[in-house]
Amino acid sequence: MLYKDFKEAVKVVGFASVDEFVKYAKINSSDVLKWEEKEEIPYLVSLLLHILKGDKEVLPSSLSLQNIVEECLPLASLLEEASSFPAKLEEMFLLQKQLNDSTNGKNWELGLNKFNKEINWLRCIHMEVAELIDSTPWKHWKDINSNPDMNNIHVELVDIWHFLMSYILQETNVPKAVSLVNTHCIYEAAQNVDIKLVVKEAEKLSYIALAIETKNMPTFSGIERFIEQFFRACKSAGLSFPWLQKLYIGKNCLNQFRQDNGYKEGTYKKVWNGNEDNVVMVELLREIEDVSFEELYAQLKLKYN
């Protein structure tokens, strides 16, 4: 949507000026200046105008506004879904804190686990990115025509999300974490995945981790860059936020289930009737519409037994 169409649409839905709309929508005026410079309006602002038009049926229609409506229809269901995102984010951050408390001990945020072992979330992210890339045919000397393992790429993104949430919680708290992440969860996952782009977007997560680790990027601005880049990587890989949330609950639950059934002691069995536990977990997630930790844990217990 172009800026000139934005100015016209604002008036059509009943605002006297762009400034009046900006105040209503609680938009930062500096953002509007950037839109004007780029001659481009964010998709969600277009969607907001579409919703406002729907609330004011007596207003005249216009060609530019009709174009906005058509442009925004694919996101209508996503916006409705997005109202639940803050609650889902809070659940994920609380579960991650609970898992870290359980496996690493209290006060893990200080950088040491209960065995006095150093915790380095940045290195964890860097290593998981390498595992994600290994799920693609990036090597020029081997399997050059093989297909990427998209299921595993999504699982690796979820593993990165575990470590990124832990890093955010180490530096902030749950309410602040939800506030930082919430606005980045509304996006359309790519339908046609460009695997080279997926690799590039994933590698940028490593660059950020290394920049913070080597003191070339301040921690807090690094966190904001991390969050933005993580969801950009998810988008490029075709991983929607609702499916990310489902997979996260699944992986978090499975991690706890493993700990409760002898993972550290080496007595846990990772293969269940010929299938790895990760595969069993994903199959269960596909069957459960609105997943909860407790329900999935109970289902895993039945399958394991």
Side-chain angles (χ1 to χ4, degrees):
M1 179 184 181
L2 298 177
Y3 187 79
K4 62 179 182 179
D5 296 323
F6 166 65
K7 290 197 293 185
E8 182 183 347
V10 162
K11 292 178 181 177
V12 170
V13 297
F15 293 96
S17 66
V18 169
D19 287 341
E20 188 178 311
F21 172 76
V22 166
K23 288 179 183 176
Y24 168 81
K26 295 183 173 62
I27 297 170
N28 193 315
S29 56
S30 62
D31 289 337
V32 181
L33 291 174
K34 292 177 184 175
W35 302 346
E36 189 172 9
E37 287 174 10
K38 293 181 179 179
E39 263 295 308
E40 188 178 356
I41 304 300
Y43 216 32
L44 287 175
V45 175
S46 300
L47 186 56
L48 176 58
L49 289 167
H50 161 56
I51 293 169
L52 290 173
K53 180 176 181 293
D55 290 339
K56 302 180 178 184
E57 295 177 352
V58 296
L59 290 171
S61 183
S62 73
L63 179 61
S64 63
L65 198 58
Q66 185 59 37
N67 290 339
I68 295 167
V69 171
E70 292 173 2
E71 179 182 305
C72 293
L73 283 177
L75 278 180
S77 60
L78 179 58
L79 188 67
E80 183 179 352
E81 216 171 16
S83 62
S84 67
F85 288 179
K88 289 179 176 178
L89 282 169
E90 183 179 35
E91 179 188 23
M92 284 194 284
F93 276 107
L94 288 171
L95 282 172
Q96 188 60 42
K97 187 178 187 312
Q98 181 181 319
L99 181 64
N100 286 347
D101 287 346
S102 173
T103 57
N104 298 312
K106 299 291 184 181
N107 300 319
W108 56 267
E109 295 92 340
L110 298 177
L112 294 172
N113 71 5
K114 56 190 175 185
F115 305 109
N116 214 34
K117 182 82 172 179
E118 181 190 359
I119 298 171
N120 190 322
W121 301 118
L122 296 171
R123 186 179 298 140
C124 292
I125 292 168
H126 180 63
M127 298 304 291
E128 288 298 333
V129 168
E131 290 188 26
L132 183 154
I133 293 170
D134 263 344
S135 296
T136 73
W138 68 273
K139 297 174 181 176
H140 63 271
W141 68 92
K142 180 183 177 183
D143 299 328
I144 60 174
N145 294 318
S146 60
N147 293 320
D149 186 345
M150 292 310 303
N151 286 332
N152 199 58
I153 287 171
H154 289 175
V155 169
E156 296 300 344
L157 281 167
V158 173
D159 287 344
I160 292 169
W161 183 227
H162 275 81
F163 295 133
L164 179 53
M165 280 198 294
S166 298
Y167 181 64
I168 295 169
L169 287 172
Q170 180 178 274
E171 302 298 330
T172 60
N173 54 46
V174 173
K176 179 67 174 175
V178 172
S179 174
L180 285 169
V181 175
N182 186 40
T183 56
H184 296 276
C185 297
I186 305 172
Y187 61 90
E188 284 187 290
Q191 297 296 313
N192 299 311
V193 174
D194 178 349
I195 200 62
K196 289 182 180 179
L197 178 62
V198 173
V199 170
K200 286 180 180 178
E201 297 294 8
E203 284 178 327
K204 289 175 186 176
L205 290 168
S206 276
Y207 302 156
I208 296 169
L210 292 170
I212 299 172
E213 182 75 14
T214 55
K215 312 298 183 187
N216 286 309
M217 184 183 292
T219 298
F220 195 76
S221 63
I223 287 175
E224 292 180 323
R225 289 278 301 279
F226 251 143
I227 295 167
E228 181 183 358
Q229 185 55 42
F230 174 75
F231 287 106
R232 192 173 291 164
C234 289
K235 180 179 179 178
S236 70
L239 179 58
S240 67
F241 177 76
W243 186 236
L244 168 71
Q245 185 260 348
K246 258 192 158 183
L247 282 175
Y248 172 79
I249 298 293
K251 199 65 190 288
N252 182 286
C253 186
L254 181 59
N255 285 342
Q256 187 63 59
F257 186 83
R258 286 170 172 174
Q259 294 293 330
D260 295 343
N261 288 275
Y263 197 71
K264 280 184 180 176
E265 295 78 8
T267 58
Y268 176 76
K269 296 178 181 177
K270 201 169 181 180
V271 178
W272 308 359
N273 293 323
N275 290 318
E276 276 202 15
D277 55 2
N278 267 318
V279 175
V280 176
M281 177 266 291
V282 172
E283 287 175 352
L284 287 171
L285 288 180
R286 295 190 190 281
E287 295 170 6
I288 303 171
E289 186 172 340
D290 193 11
V291 67
S292 71
F293 184 95
E294 293 77 14
E295 181 183 0
L296 183 59
Y297 193 98
Q299 292 293 324
L300 288 171
K301 192 174 181 180
L302 284 172
K303 291 282 187 181
Y304 190 66
N305 291 337

